[in-house]
Amino acid sequence: MSMNQSGWRPERPESGGDAAAETFTRNRALMLEEPLIFEMGEEDGTGVDFEPLGSPAKAGVQTDSETGPRLSPGNRLAGLERNRPINLPGLSEPQAVRHYTRLSRQNYAIDLGLFPLGSCTMKHNPRLNERMARLPGFADIHPLQPTDTVQGAMKVIADLGEWLIKLTGMHSVAMSPKAGAHGELCGLLAIRSALEARGDGREVILVPESAHGTNPATAAFAGYRVENIPATPRGRVDLAALRARLGPDIAGVMITNPNTCGLFEPDMIAISEAVHAAGGLVYCDGANFNAIVGRVRPGDLGIDAMHINLHKTFSTPHGGGGPGSGPVVFSEALTPFAPLPFVEKQGDHYALIEEETAEEHHGQTFGRMTAFHGQMGMFTRALTYILSHGADGLRQVSGDAVLNANYILRELEDVLDAPFGASGPCMHEALFSDKGFGGGLSTLDLAKGLIDEGFHPMTMYFPLVVHGAMLVEPTETESKAALDQFIGAMRSVAERAKAGDPSLKAAPVHAPRRRLDETLAARKPVLVYKEPEQAQAAE
């Protein structure tokens, strides 16, 4: 297959012929190949008929005999008028619909099959949640409306916040952070404010090797110096190393529990006690809360702040540039430093507490995280999910997620290296490595081969503590039949990798696109469409 710099164009025959017809040379079964939408249709055609425009004079446009219609000098757009065709394809409605529908069929989605991305909780999104989020009283409101006109939405925020407090055993919650990393920053800013309030200028945040990759980035962004804490051979935080590093310069620790090796940190209470004794505070990355929801309350483990990815634990959309939400729960010690605004129930009325009343209600808040209050669509979906399951249902969610991951771990550990398989059961995700692969094959080759088997690849090369890591998270929404199908595909490709099958270097061969030159695509991406004539001239 030939590729341009972006690495995606379909193969074309060397012989001449109609350009549009050439792009269909890779048709396979019911999957039709086609050019970019800019390469389709005629520029002087249109799929919609409009009423003829009125005369230029009626439209407020002056006419020049040489250049044609132009805007009057007093018009704000004077000088910005277009001087060349817009070059949009003139497509009929069926052509446009078919084009984008075909493109959608080249994507993998949770509606098509199991999505094994570790640490991402790519599970089924109940359609009921989507319907609730689209109710006019939630979808059509504006953040600047008077609070008296959006009391239903305010109640959703308050009720969801109460659920999050109960599920985590914490003291308060900030609903405004827009995503997980935003929540991390929120928690660290609260920690910084608490330390500053007691005149303590600590500068270092400790981050275990098994933590999420965003943790050290967030700590650095918040102005802290980051130091790593190693993991033990069993994939947990090295408690002795942590204790040895604690001192008057340590502001706190950012720990992911369950961690990115898919393991629970059994020393969590001891870690919290040691950090508190040294004068620091404990931040927990709650991205993996899906593994313990309804079973473990982080507040009971000595946590001071933890964000919750609503778009992971509580079913809402994840990835693809879509919206997220990262509420942060706080211990009693950090509650005075939580951000504004927040929702407060006052009798039968819900009020949004802003800066002018901050002194009365919060005292030492560090301010605002964002202009408005969180993400209404995420709140509605998450509360619907929680109410649909109830407390006992949420407990089953985490139990099923852990059960599914352990089933995959035990079914594949004879053919794939499981670096922590002897450490006991995993949590919501199973970790494997490329140890034992032959013929110079790697994790990337197995992942590409998995595409040919009909599955999106698992998370690759993460966590960094394992060479050639493959992190698989089946979530609780997959049946045993679906897991068996995935296990069969993984086993088939893993056996080929261990045997050094060179054909894996060419995989995928059955996907709409063959393997890309990822380095070239990353270093020299083609991000702007150019007309063929211009592209040839540039070459």
Side-chain angles (χ1 to χ4, degrees):
M1 173 176 180
S2 61
M3 294 179 289
N4 67 356
Q5 289 180 342
S6 63
W8 61 265
R9 292 299 297 277
E11 185 174 10
R12 293 177 182 266
E14 295 182 0
S15 59
D18 180 75
E22 289 177 7
T23 61
F24 282 83
T25 59
R26 283 179 47 80
N27 290 351
R28 181 183 294 276
L30 300 179
M31 179 66 73
L32 299 181
E33 184 61 82
E34 60 185 302
L36 296 174
I37 195 168
F38 296 100
E39 299 170 332
M40 300 170 64
E42 301 294 332
E43 294 177 1
D44 57 353
T46 178
V48 181
D49 290 330
F50 293 98
E51 291 294 327
L53 294 175
S55 66
K58 291 181 180 180
V61 178
Q62 296 180 353
T63 301
D64 186 291
S65 58
E66 295 182 359
T67 61
R70 60 185 176 85
L71 297 172
S72 60
N75 192 297
R76 290 182 301 168
L77 299 180
L80 300 179
E81 57 268 26
R82 187 172 64 248
N83 57 18
R84 55 174 294 177
I86 197 171
N87 293 334
L88 291 178
L91 302 178
S92 67
E93 181 175 295
Q95 286 178 300
V97 169
R98 288 170 182 167
H99 173 76
Y100 288 108
T101 301
R102 285 172 184 154
L103 289 183
S104 72
R105 292 176 61 197
Q106 295 184 21
N107 291 330
Y108 192 86
I110 194 66
D111 290 343
L112 297 174
L114 187 154
F115 226 125
L117 286 177
S119 286
C120 286
T121 318
M122 299 289 285
K123 60 187 178 184
H124 171 71
N125 302 314
R127 296 305 182 260
L128 172 64
N129 304 5
E130 298 299 315
R131 184 169 183 178
M132 293 299 102
R134 285 165 173 75
L135 291 175
F138 300 131
D140 296 341
I141 58 178
H142 192 281
L144 292 179
Q145 283 184 233
T147 55
D148 288 343
T149 68
V150 290
Q151 285 293 294
M154 301 275 278
K155 177 175 171 52
V156 166
I157 297 174
D159 287 354
L160 175 58
E162 285 297 316
W163 269 100
L164 298 180
I165 290 172
K166 290 177 182 178
L167 289 170
T168 58
M170 301 290 271
H171 187 264
S172 63
V173 62
M175 301 294 290
S176 54
K178 296 294 187 70
H182 205 211
E184 292 175 22
L185 180 61
C186 173
L188 283 191
L189 292 179
I191 288 174
R192 176 181 286 282
S193 297
L195 293 174
E196 291 176 347
R198 70 187 194 200
D200 199 337
R202 297 171 181 240
E203 301 177 346
V204 179
I205 291 289
L206 301 179
V207 180
E209 289 180 342
S210 59
H212 269 139
T214 52
N215 292 177
T218 299
F221 188 80
Y224 286 105
R225 190 169 74 253
V226 179
E227 294 186 17
N228 292 333
I229 297 297
T232 68
R234 292 175 60 85
R236 273 84 171 189
V237 174
D238 189 327
L239 181 58
L242 175 70
R243 284 173 169 161
R245 180 58 188 87
L246 291 174
D249 61 336
I250 302 300
V253 61
M254 294 187 78
I255 188 167
T256 303
N257 191 25
N259 65 33
T260 54
C261 296
L263 303 171
F264 189 79
E265 295 287 353
D267 294 327
M268 191 64 238
I269 293 178
I271 291 171
S272 296
E273 290 175 346
V275 174
H276 289 154
L281 294 159
V282 180
Y283 185 91
C284 181
D285 186 309
N288 294 338
F289 191 48
N290 196 65
I292 60 174
V293 63
R295 296 175 180 269
V296 177
R297 301 194 314 170
D300 297 335
L301 305 179
I303 304 300
D304 292 298
M306 183 182 86
H307 81 265
I308 302 170
N309 296 80
L310 295 186
H311 50 289
K312 289 187 178 185
T313 305
F314 301 114
S315 88
T316 49
H318 184 102
S325 186
V328 179
V329 286
F330 294 100
S331 65
E332 187 173 1
L334 277 186
T335 292
F337 307 96
L340 296 167
F342 63 94
V343 175
E344 182 176 86
K345 187 175 183 181
Q346 300 174 345
D348 295 331
H349 180 81
Y350 292 91
L352 191 64
I353 307 303
E354 303 278 3
E355 281 92 340
E356 59 268 19
T357 56
E359 191 64 32
E360 176 185 352
H361 293 275
H362 256 202
Q364 301 177 82
T365 175
F366 68 79
R368 302 175 74 95
M369 281 298 296
T370 184
F372 301 113
H373 195 73
Q375 225 288 8
M376 195 65 226
M378 300 299 101
F379 296 159
T380 308
R381 292 179 177 93
L383 184 59
T384 304
Y385 183 86
I386 290 173
L387 294 178
S388 297
H389 285 80
D392 57 340
L394 293 176
R395 180 180 175 86
Q396 183 175 346
V397 161
S398 57
D400 289 348
V402 172
L403 176 63
N404 285 351
N406 278 277
Y407 181 60
I408 287 178
L409 177 65
R410 298 311 172 196
E411 287 294 305
L412 290 175
E413 64 182 349
D414 65 320
V415 69
L416 281 172
D417 175 60
F420 303 119
S423 298
C426 63
M427 295 300 291
H428 59 304
E429 52 196 354
L431 181 61
F432 303 99
S433 82
D434 62 359
K435 183 179 179 180
F437 285 9
L441 297 175
S442 67
T443 290
L444 179 66
D445 299 315
L446 183 145
K448 298 299 186 182
L450 192 61
I451 295 175
D452 275 336
E453 298 292 330
F455 287 97
H456 192 287
M458 61 280 139
T459 296
M460 300 184 296
Y461 302 114
F462 183 79
L464 300 179
V465 295
V466 171
H467 181 274
M470 292 174 277
L471 196 58
V472 179
E473 182 181 7
T475 80
E476 73 281 358
T477 58
E478 299 302 333
S479 66
K480 182 177 181 298
L483 297 181
D484 286 337
Q485 186 179 25
F486 174 75
I487 289 168
M490 281 285 285
R491 177 174 290 276
S492 173
V493 182
E495 289 173 346
R496 292 169 59 194
K498 293 185 72 173
D501 183 353
S503 68
L504 282 177
K505 285 291 184 182
V509 297
H510 299 305
R513 295 289 176 264
R514 299 290 295 276
R515 189 180 298 207
L516 311 180
D517 184 334
E518 298 183 18
T519 301
L520 184 62
R523 294 183 177 180
K524 296 183 178 180
V526 177
L527 303 177
V528 179
Y529 172 75
K530 295 180 180 180
E531 299 174 47
E533 297 78 11
Q534 294 177 330
Q536 292 174 2
E539 293 174 358

